[in-house]
Amino acid sequence: KDARSYNMLRHCGTTYSLAQAYERFRDPEYKAACERSFEYLLTRTELREEPGIWGHNYRFILEDRMAKLGGSGLALVAMAQYTEATGDDRYMENMREFARFVVKMQDQESGKLISYFDYGPTAEVPQEDSIYYPGEALYGLGKFYFIDPDPLWIETANKGAYWLIFDRDADKKPLSLPHDHWLMMALSYLYAHTGDEAYNTHCMNIGRAIEHKFRDLDHDMVQAHPDYYGTYYKTPRVTPVACRVEGTVGGVDLCKLAGTDYQWLLKIAQASAGFSMTLQWDPINSFYLRNPRKALGGLKEGIYENAIRNDYVQHNLSGWIGVERHLRAQQGIELPGGPAWSRKVNAENIVFQGYPAPGSGEVFYYPGESLYHIPFTGNEV
């Protein structure tokens, strides 16, 4: 059901994960869902014409009297992912419009990306900066530059990344860096474009900060509560865990590109992905819900919370697809997807056929070479 917590950033992030899922499984319903999502998204935006180094027009999401840098950044991420997955370039001009907004939001002297746009008299412009919006915008520019190699996109991204590394984070000890998963993924793309070691170093420093908080097997909390392995906060929640999976997957991508050791990052990603899998609703653990079938496949908020929200699912779906890709690569199997520089001919896809109809007598299964046959009656009492 609709909730106040729904917002367009989560909408864009969810569409991004659907595009990743389409590339992995080639289910046409995922592609169609992305297209419906973009239709809705564009109705929540404003297009303005204004001369500047960014071009003559730019587009931003307008929601609750706010225009957020991260909104246009994640819209760009989602549309770029869709374009990579499908080869359909119908959103090319929309992506340019969102990218121009990111350029407009950059202070040209310092390189800082401004988090909120003062679009007019009714605008609400919070004073604080968002930790995550710059990384979202940089990730969007990094992905889009592979599709549309306009120097303006990479120049903006480089200036923005340098401000984050050498200004915002300059005085922070490496282990105190924010666990910015969007920035880790952005830095992998910027390293692919430039080979700049500053991007490699900062991405690995964020990875070490995550590792510092990672609950390993010898952690006191894990010794007392083994289910806490792979988590971070006092009370583990599924989305913070999933975001770190996404970030460490991006770090593994960068390490493979740079030819450096990535096993320490993959260990974190795999362990944290394993934790979040325990919070996915399935035919066994959903027996006490009023309508179990509606919950199947969703991710609950945490160990003690049952709610499902689109971003809980999105971050985990994205993270799992990345972890699977790297684990299969160790077995010599190349799966579809991954960063633009690593893409090769698509492997044979396994399409998830959906859940069986209630009372059909069929079994519930997960796609893959190992099928988990679990009797499911469809009883929804």
Side-chain angles (χ1 to χ4, degrees):
K1 59 185 178 180
D2 290 337
R4 288 185 178 181
S5 59
Y6 194 91
N7 65 42
M8 294 310 297
L9 273 75
R10 293 175 182 143
H11 178 93
C12 293
T14 301
T15 312
Y16 162 62
S17 70
L18 275 173
Q20 291 177 300
Y22 173 73
E23 184 163 27
R24 172 63 182 87
F25 296 109
R26 280 297 187 254
D27 188 324
E29 290 194 15
Y30 301 165
K31 180 175 182 289
C34 287
E35 292 163 5
R36 292 194 305 272
S37 177
F38 291 139
E39 289 177 12
Y40 176 76
L41 164 67
L42 291 172
T43 67
R44 307 294 295 274
T45 65
E46 183 172 321
L47 180 65
R48 288 191 175 181
E49 294 189 9
E50 179 183 329
I53 65 166
W54 50 83
H56 293 296
N57 55 21
Y58 56 89
R59 185 181 295 273
F60 57 93
I61 295 172
L62 186 57
E63 183 176 44
D64 296 331
R65 298 197 297 174
M66 288 189 191
K68 304 171 184 176
L69 171 71
S72 291
L74 285 184
L76 185 55
V77 167
M79 288 183 170
Q81 185 66 45
Y82 172 90
T83 305
E84 291 175 359
T86 65
D88 179 355
D89 63 358
R90 74 176 77 178
Y91 301 109
M92 184 65 76
E93 189 53 39
N94 294 135
M95 287 189 283
R96 291 192 180 109
E97 292 162 354
F98 285 124
R100 291 183 193 121
F101 178 73
V102 173
V103 179
K104 176 178 173 58
M105 294 296 286
Q106 184 168 62
D107 180 88
Q108 294 304 309
E109 183 174 342
S110 68
K112 177 181 178 179
L113 289 165
I114 311 302
S115 292
Y116 300 94
F117 177 39
D118 186 356
Y119 61 82
T122 63
E124 288 190 7
V125 185
Q127 295 302 308
E128 72 276 6
D129 291 322
S130 166
I131 293 175
Y132 299 110
Y133 292 174
E136 292 165 349
L138 296 178
Y139 187 39
L141 290 177
K143 288 176 74 67
F144 187 44
Y145 186 65
F146 270 112
I147 299 169
D148 184 37
D150 185 328
L152 182 59
W153 314 144
I154 193 64
E155 289 168 6
T156 301
N158 283 329
K159 288 170 64 177
Y162 262 55
W163 183 84
L164 292 174
I165 295 170
F166 297 111
D167 194 317
R168 186 192 73 172
D169 294 343
D171 297 329
K172 297 182 177 71
K173 296 179 180 179
L175 295 184
S176 299
L177 288 172
H179 297 183
D180 189 343
H181 64 291
W182 293 114
L183 182 56
M184 291 184 76
M185 294 187 286
L187 292 173
S188 72
Y189 270 76
L190 297 185
Y191 183 82
H193 291 309
T194 67
D196 191 328
E197 283 301 318
Y199 299 150
N200 186 5
T201 299
H202 200 67
C203 186
M204 294 305 106
N205 284 342
I206 298 173
R208 292 299 181 186
I210 292 174
E211 182 186 46
H212 182 61
K213 296 292 185 181
F214 170 72
R215 287 178 176 150
D216 210 337
L217 290 174
D218 58 357
H219 192 282
D220 290 344
M221 186 69 76
V222 176
Q223 293 292 314
H225 307 285
D227 287 355
Y228 282 23
Y229 175 56
T231 65
Y232 303 88
Y233 294 154
K234 181 178 180 180
T235 302
R237 302 195 333 274
V238 74
T239 303
V241 169
C243 290
R244 286 160 178 80
V245 174
E246 290 181 280
T248 49
V249 164
V252 174
D253 288 327
L254 196 161
C255 287
K256 288 185 174 182
L257 188 63
T260 55
D261 173 56
Y262 60 82
Q263 292 297 336
W264 63 281
L265 283 165
L266 186 55
K267 170 189 171 183
I268 295 170
Q270 184 176 359
S272 293
F275 167 79
S276 60
M277 288 176 70
T278 69
L279 299 185
Q280 185 175 43
W281 291 111
D282 61 37
I284 294 176
N285 66 15
S286 62
F287 72 93
Y288 59 88
L289 300 180
R290 285 191 299 174
N291 194 335
R293 293 191 61 80
K294 284 192 174 182
L296 291 180
L299 277 294
K300 54 188 290 189
E301 182 177 359
I303 291 177
Y304 305 110
E305 299 86 15
N306 290 341
I308 302 171
R309 199 169 72 188
N310 58 347
D311 57 321
Y312 305 163
V313 181
Q314 175 258 302
H315 288 293
N316 283 281
L317 176 57
S318 295
W320 292 346
I321 288 173
V323 172
E324 182 205 23
R325 174 168 53 84
H326 286 305
L327 293 179
R328 288 300 191 193
Q330 292 188 330
Q331 300 173 333
I333 300 172
E334 290 191 25
L335 294 179
W341 66 84
S342 69
R343 289 165 182 269
K344 297 180 181 177
V345 177
N346 276 354
E348 182 178 352
N349 294 298
I350 304 168
V351 177
F352 178 44
Q353 301 297 329
Y355 302 115
S360 67
E362 298 178 25
V363 295
F364 173 89
Y365 68 94
Y366 292 100
E369 59 187 34
S370 297
L371 302 183
Y372 297 85
H373 292 276
I374 302 172
F376 186 68
T377 64
N379 184 352
E380 296 179 353
V381 177

